[in-house]
Amino acid sequence: YLSCNTLNVRSVSVPSHRFVILKRVSTQKQGADGLGIAAQQRDIELFLQQHPEATVLRELVEVESGGKELCDRPVLQEAMDLCRSTSSTLLVAKLSRLSRDAAFVLTLMKDSSIQFKVAAMPDADNFQLGIYALLNQQEREQISTRTRNALAAAKARGVKLGNPKNLENWNRTRKQAARKFADQHSNLI
């Protein structure tokens, strides 16, 4: 299911003290505000504090949906390739940061050429990770349903969805209002 012919069933002994870290957010906005990355970094640092022998070879940040195929996630491909070439373990903060697609995670668990660890669940076995993968997929589906329902409710209330037709004028009006507000409060500042 990983596609791109990535499944490799050769037996590899992977030392547990060398890590390639992958942090993922789904949108550019989430990446820009840094909150999602910071939370992942905190979980990873807590994990690494419990493993003082750990060596981090590289940290990668991906801005992609976790539901995409491996072929459409070049940063994840790079992380996996680096893990394979250095006999390292892929470390993610939470299983959902690897993927919210259960089949993807389950197939990855069968690929003996790549090992991964979840910082928030350091002692989880494959059975537990499989259950969490299924729960993450269910959450992804529920998020999609909630989003569609919220947009439908907003539309029913008369909210115009999408980009405004006259974006340039809309932005000009917003800038003028911001300038007026700033001018009114400049003496206070």
Side-chain angles (χ1 to χ4, degrees):
Y1 183 82
L2 286 176
S3 70
C4 301
N5 300 320
T6 59
L7 186 62
N8 188 342
V9 292
R10 66 182 169 86
S11 179
V12 173
S13 175
V14 178
S16 62
H17 64 280
R18 295 167 53 123
F19 294 98
V20 173
I21 296 172
L22 176 69
K23 296 176 248 180
R24 181 187 68 79
V25 291
S26 298
T27 66
Q28 291 289 340
K29 183 178 177 187
Q30 290 171 334
D33 74 20
L35 297 177
I37 296 296
Q40 292 174 59
Q41 184 62 38
R42 183 192 64 240
D43 289 346
I44 288 167
E45 285 174 3
L46 288 172
F47 174 87
L48 293 172
Q49 287 173 6
Q50 298 301 312
H51 299 85
E53 76 285 358
T55 302
V56 175
L57 299 181
R58 187 138 178 232
E59 291 189 36
L60 299 161
V61 176
E62 180 178 51
V63 181
E64 287 291 345
S65 166
K68 287 188 173 183
E69 299 276 338
L70 181 60
C71 289
D72 297 324
R73 294 182 61 190
V75 176
L76 176 57
Q77 285 179 7
E78 180 182 352
M80 290 172 62
D81 290 343
L82 183 58
C83 285
R84 285 184 182 110
S85 68
T86 61
S87 297
S88 300
T89 300
L90 181 64
L91 178 62
V92 293
K94 295 183 180 178
L95 192 59
S96 64
R97 300 301 83 202
L98 181 59
S99 180
R100 286 191 187 266
D101 184 325
F104 180 92
V105 173
L106 295 171
T107 302
L108 185 61
M109 288 185 338
K110 288 173 61 176
D111 184 347
S112 63
S113 73
I114 183 90
Q115 300 297 316
F116 67 92
K117 274 287 201 189
V118 179
M121 302 183 309
D123 298 320
D125 60 21
N126 281 353
F127 177 74
Q128 292 166 317
L129 291 174
I131 290 171
Y132 276 98
L134 292 167
L135 292 171
N136 284 331
Q137 180 169 321
Q138 181 183 34
E139 175 62 14
R140 181 185 77 189
E141 293 163 359
Q142 290 173 347
I143 289 169
S144 178
T145 300
R146 287 191 302 263
T147 301
R148 276 195 309 275
N149 291 343
L151 290 173
K155 191 173 181 180
R157 290 190 313 269
V159 174
K160 285 195 167 210
L161 302 175
N163 288 331
K165 295 215 184 276
N166 197 348
L167 187 58
E168 188 176 318
N169 285 338
W170 185 69
N171 279 337
R172 188 178 309 115
T173 302
R174 287 180 57 216
K175 285 180 184 177
Q176 288 171 349
R179 273 193 210 108
K180 182 178 177 184
F181 180 83
D183 290 342
Q184 290 173 346
H185 294 89
S186 64
N187 291 338
L188 296 173
I189 297 170

